[in-house]
Amino acid sequence: MNLRLDWLWTGVVAAVLGLAACSGGGTGEEPNPLESSEAALCTVEQTCASGAPVTCSSATSACLSSPDNGGWVECDGVRTYCPPPCTCGSTRYTVSRYGEGATCGEAASLARSFLADEVADQCPAGGCNSSDALGRCTPLGPNRTDGFRMTITRTFSCKEPLNCR
């Protein structure tokens, strides 16, 4: 029982010290060096319209945040804005990749992996509105009996703008 109260008391003291460190104001007294060295960092978070959070921390100044202009946080005079929300672009891309494997399923899985890499290269913020067209699964050739090849064609758009989330 005592251990629980000690833990609770420590949490209350840490919260008070953290609030004092983040308040940006003070009592006008010089801080005790022992107290300030143990003060928690000031941390602030803003949840953006996309649901993605932006955060910052400071040990030296007040932290600020606001939902204005899409949302932002500020620590040590550096303001970080929420990234804009994503929209699916209107430009359509079409890419084909093939995979080879011991079975048709393995070949298709490898082709999808190659397509995912291609979409990631083409669309830094991610792809959207994609559709796949499966090709035929064929044996690797008359001289090879060790597997199959399958081609998949993917048509997709990119999320925009580039820095969206």
Side-chain angles (χ1 to χ4, degrees):
M1 189 74 126
N2 248 355
L3 191 55
R4 273 192 162 182
L5 290 176
D6 287 345
W7 176 81
L8 180 61
W9 179 247
T10 302
V12 169
V13 170
V16 170
L17 287 175
L19 286 173
C22 292
S23 69
T27 61
E29 299 174 8
E30 289 296 316
N32 180 338
L34 291 177
E35 288 179 39
S36 65
S37 67
E38 294 181 20
L41 290 176
C42 178
T43 300
V44 67
E45 179 176 303
Q46 178 69 240
T47 301
C48 303
S50 65
V54 288
T55 62
C56 67
S57 298
S58 174
T60 60
S61 70
C63 300
L64 306 169
S65 72
S66 172
D68 295 343
N69 298 322
W72 53 266
V73 295
E74 184 176 314
C75 295
D76 295 327
V78 177
R79 188 170 286 186
T80 304
Y81 287 90
C82 285
C86 293
T87 59
C88 194
S90 59
T91 304
R92 302 288 287 162
Y93 302 95
T94 300
V95 181
S96 293
R97 293 292 179 262
Y98 71 87
E100 295 178 351
T103 65
C104 288
E106 286 179 17
S109 180
L110 192 57
R112 283 189 183 95
S113 176
F114 292 149
L115 284 169
D117 291 344
E118 183 67 28
V119 171
D121 288 346
Q122 183 76 23
C123 305
C128 56
N129 204 14
S130 67
S131 62
D132 289 349
L134 302 178
R136 289 184 347 165
C137 182
T138 58
L140 287 176
N143 298 330
R144 292 180 62 185
T145 59
D146 59 341
F148 298 89
R149 173 179 289 163
M150 183 167 203
T151 300
I152 300 176
T153 300
R154 180 169 291 170
T155 302
F156 60 96
S157 295
C158 293
K159 291 181 181 177
E160 297 175 347
L162 291 178
N163 64 334
C164 73
R165 276 204 227 168

